[in-house]
Amino acid sequence: MSRFYITTPIYYVNDAPHIGHAYPTVTADAIARWHRLLGDETMFVTGTDEHGLKIQRAAEANGITPLEQADRTSQRFRDAWTLLDISNDQFIRTTEQRHHRSVQELLTRAKDNGYIEKGSYAGHYCVACEAYYNDDDLIDGSDCPIHERPVEWLEEENYFFKLTALESELLDWLNGPHVFPEGKRNEALGIVKLGLEDVSMTRTSIDWGVPVPWDDDHVFYVWYDALINYATAVGFGTDEDEFNQWWPEVHHIIGKDILRFHCVYWPAMLIAAGLEPPKEVHVSGFLLLGGKKLSKTGLTQIAPADLVEDFGVDGYRYHFLRDVSFGPDSEFSYEQMVARYNSDLANTLGNLLSRVTTVVQKKCDGIGPAPDVDSALGKVAADSYAAAAEAWDRFQAPVAMEATWQLIREANAYLERHEPWKMEQGSPEVQRVMGDALEVLRWAAIMAGPALTRASEAIWAAIGLDGSPTDERLPEAAAWGRYPGGLTVTKSAPLFPRLKAE
RNA sequence: GGCGACGUAGCUCAGUUGGUAAGAGUGCUCGACUCAUAAUCGAGAGGUCGUGGGUUCGAGUCCCACCGUCGCUACCA
């Protein structure tokens, strides 16, 4: 039995979930569902990142504890993922005890291996921001760029992560097949080649974080705690055997803004602790609105719930999986979403189900016949499957979706060529044609399942099959001719009612 | 300033290590069909692959310059 471990970033709880958070989550979910279909023992982890200055301050502003603050927002993420049928096996929170143990264990090992040392950090500090600034960032060389008032020169003792000692190990890792797409790998290489510096990894100025086990005055800086969630989730620090079963075969999905942390710091931290760096990091671009990235301040956030209201869960998931190329930035367009819903879901797939169930009622007494094992559609199905499987392997959901729809479109053309509605009721000819059409629907319910979590079940039931398409196992289930025939086919309301453009 | 990404049909995008006369979906035009959610099927129009050079027998695909858009340069996917 092979295993498949996939993660999303854990989202920082200073922000409400929006489509920018949902995109990598839906992508990871679809890939996880694909691997479950393949029969892999699958671990899909998402969660929330809950420490750090911003949370502490937000809590103070709201007059609650940092944990209460984190609880509130973390719950909103869980609600959003429930809404979108996200099938995560775990939802990890960095405030969990198991995570604190894991962080302390991993970083203690790094320290014991000589990669963490005490040093002092000095710089221009803005008290209002509670943050350090570089000379370049200051206005006229002396004022905070946000508060426009003088900064102070502050020096504090910190523990430093000796990133510089790991340069050659990082280059070795980055030269391997670990960061995708290629352009993003080059970007990570560029960061290393530009010159690494040792980085301050603890804070004494706040206490909302994971305590440094060897020095009570410090907590780990939020990034050094957050990244380790990927290890915590599969047992690091609590169950080494479990951990060793999953690690290092992990697939991280991240956004390009956190490339530095996942492609430089994270592998370095693991190496420092004597562990293997991650197997794959897949970097996505941003969703843009009017050419700008989504932001709270720009009022360009879009809540998944608003779109689900218009398009349904399937319509939501399908749009982002089919239209957003994984890697480059992508412009979000409501009109594009409507067009995609109508063409692929309402017209091509939904209408296929409608016409097939109607003709089966009229010409086959509502009993679905078995397909022709030598049907011309069998070859198309095999090609579609091969292309889709290859695309899922590369994390290219849009390509996998397009490959899947090739057969669905072909089924419409096949009906057109044979015109079963003109055939004699119950004849062998009409039985064969309709059996083939039903077989395509069976196949599509499985293959589109990672995207259309609900419609795939509805199709499955409509053509008379028991159980769920998620119980099927690939590649056998994609082989042509598995629809048994003799099942009751049900005509029902349109699966995806057409949407009017607004 | 430094580093980097991107620029392919109206729109959204594919184009593996350079090599059959540039692809898909959608949109548009025309035709067919009427089982079906005014859905479906067929045919067609539509691109100097940002611009200009270079390497090569041959470049969308490598190199240089330029133009345009954008990002990063430590804590929002």
Side-chain angles (χ1 to χ4, degrees):
Chain A
M1 157 104 45
S2 56
R3 289 168 180 266
F4 184 78
Y5 178 26
I6 187 167
T7 70
T8 72
I10 51 171
Y11 304 102
Y12 203 55
V13 291
N14 68 336
D15 202 358
H18 55 72
I19 58 175
H21 300 104
Y23 170 61
T25 309
V26 168
T27 297
D29 180 67
I31 293 168
R33 287 172 182 270
W34 175 257
H35 278 271
R36 292 193 192 102
L37 284 172
L38 291 175
D40 292 340
E41 189 175 339
T42 300
M43 177 66 77
F44 169 27
V45 176
T46 187
T48 42
D49 176 10
E50 310 185 358
H51 289 129
L53 182 62
K54 284 186 183 176
I55 307 308
Q56 184 169 317
R57 286 170 60 189
E60 285 163 4
N62 292 328
I64 55 179
T65 68
L67 184 58
E68 286 169 336
Q69 173 71 28
D71 282 344
R72 283 185 191 175
T73 315
S74 179
Q75 185 59 45
R76 297 181 68 178
F77 278 91
R78 267 167 289 168
D79 292 344
W81 303 159
T82 299
L83 174 71
L84 295 177
D85 281 353
I86 302 301
S87 64
N88 52 299
D89 299 290
Q90 284 191 59
F91 187 96
I92 189 168
R93 303 182 56 186
T94 56
T95 43
E96 293 175 52
Q97 271 311 304
R98 60 168 177 160
H99 182 62
H100 284 216
R101 278 206 299 278
S102 167
V103 169
Q104 291 173 337
E105 172 65 25
L106 193 143
L107 293 174
T108 296
R109 288 191 199 179
K111 180 171 185 290
D112 290 348
N113 290 337
Y115 290 104
I116 294 176
E117 287 186 347
K118 199 164 192 174
S120 69
Y121 189 88
H124 295 291
Y125 187 83
C126 171
V127 179
C129 294
E130 296 190 60
Y132 284 97
Y133 285 98
N134 296 324
D135 290 350
D136 296 346
D137 298 331
L138 299 175
I139 300 171
D140 300 331
S142 64
D143 291 355
C144 165
I146 293 172
H147 296 87
E148 296 180 4
R149 31 187 266 195
V151 292
E152 297 174 22
W153 183 258
L154 211 71
E155 217 171 310
E156 73 175 322
E157 287 217 308
N158 276 325
Y159 289 91
F160 278 72
F161 179 44
K162 296 184 69 178
L163 200 56
T164 49
L166 291 159
E167 180 173 334
S168 68
E169 287 87 342
L170 278 171
L171 288 173
D172 285 348
W173 183 74
L174 286 169
N175 281 316
H178 302 294
V179 177
F180 304 91
E182 190 69 15
K184 294 294 190 285
R185 185 175 73 92
N186 289 334
E187 218 168 291
L189 273 168
I191 291 171
V192 176
K193 288 177 177 170
L194 218 56
L196 297 170
E197 289 179 15
D198 292 340
V199 284
S200 162
M201 63 184 307
T202 66
R203 294 288 183 273
T204 52
S205 52
I206 63 169
D207 56 12
W208 183 237
V210 178
V212 173
W214 60 82
D215 190 331
D216 292 345
D217 294 336
H218 293 253
V219 297
F220 288 111
Y221 176 52
V222 62
W223 265 107
Y224 294 87
D225 131 30
L227 288 163
I228 296 170
N229 92 84
Y230 304 126
T232 306
V234 287
F236 186 81
T238 51
D239 186 342
E240 288 288 294
D241 290 340
E242 174 77 0
F243 177 71
N244 290 327
Q245 290 197 311
W246 293 103
W247 203 264
E249 298 293 307
V250 62
H251 303 76
H252 295 309
I253 284 187
I254 66 164
K256 67 179 186 181
D257 55 327
I258 51 179
L259 178 145
R260 168 188 294 270
F261 300 99
H262 285 76
C263 299
V264 180
Y265 294 4
W266 176 226
M269 285 163 68
L270 287 159
I271 294 167
L275 300 168
E276 290 288 319
K279 182 185 182 191
E280 291 183 5
V281 181
H282 293 264
V283 186
S284 82
F286 287 131
L287 294 178
L288 308 176
L289 201 61
K292 304 283 186 186
K293 76 176 183 180
L294 305 170
S295 80
K296 193 157 53 175
T297 47
L299 297 175
T300 48
Q301 289 191 342
I302 299 172
D306 294 338
L307 294 173
V308 166
E309 202 167 306
D310 292 348
F311 298 93
V313 173
D314 287 332
Y316 181 98
R317 294 172 58 102
Y318 186 71
H319 166 69
F320 286 99
L321 290 169
R322 174 61 183 83
D323 284 326
V324 179
S325 187
F326 190 89
D329 288 353
S330 181
E331 188 72 22
F332 173 79
S333 155
Y334 190 91
E335 291 70 27
Q336 169 84 8
M337 202 169 170
V338 171
R340 181 61 72 187
Y341 174 96
N342 279 337
S343 70
D344 286 11
L345 299 184
N347 298 350
T348 304
L349 178 59
N351 185 54
L352 176 67
L353 178 67
S354 289
R355 64 198 307 207
V356 167
T357 52
T358 297
V359 177
V360 169
Q361 298 304 319
K362 291 182 178 173
K363 298 289 182 178
C364 306
D365 289 327
I367 303 300
D372 174 7
V373 292
D374 295 321
S375 171
L377 292 177
K379 171 77 166 74
V380 181
D383 290 347
S384 280
Y385 176 79
E390 192 267 341
W392 282 120
D393 273 351
R394 293 185 299 125
F395 285 31
Q396 295 300 324
V399 181
M401 290 293 100
E402 170 59 21
T404 299
W405 255 253
Q406 276 172 24
L407 177 63
I408 302 171
R409 282 195 294 268
E410 188 57 31
N412 278 314
Y414 181 81
L415 289 177
E416 215 67 36
R417 283 198 296 276
H418 291 86
E419 301 183 306
W421 43 89
K422 289 182 178 174
M423 292 174 173
E424 187 183 338
Q425 179 167 349
S427 66
E429 293 75 30
V430 82
Q431 302 259 350
R432 191 166 59 240
V433 173
M434 296 321 293
D436 286 354
L438 288 161
E439 169 63 355
V440 170
L441 287 167
R442 182 198 67 86
W443 183 94
I446 299 167
M447 296 295 289
L452 310 179
T453 55
R454 314 223 168 154
S456 59
E457 302 279 353
I459 293 169
W460 199 256
I463 62 176
L465 290 163
D466 289 330
S468 159
T470 58
D471 297 331
E472 299 296 304
R473 287 296 168 264
L474 297 171
E476 305 80 39
W480 181 261
R482 306 260 295 198
Y483 184 71
L487 306 180
T488 301
V489 171
T490 312
K491 169 79 177 172
S492 56
L495 205 51
F496 299 104
R498 268 185 74 85
L499 296 173
K500 298 269 191 281
E502 290 178 25

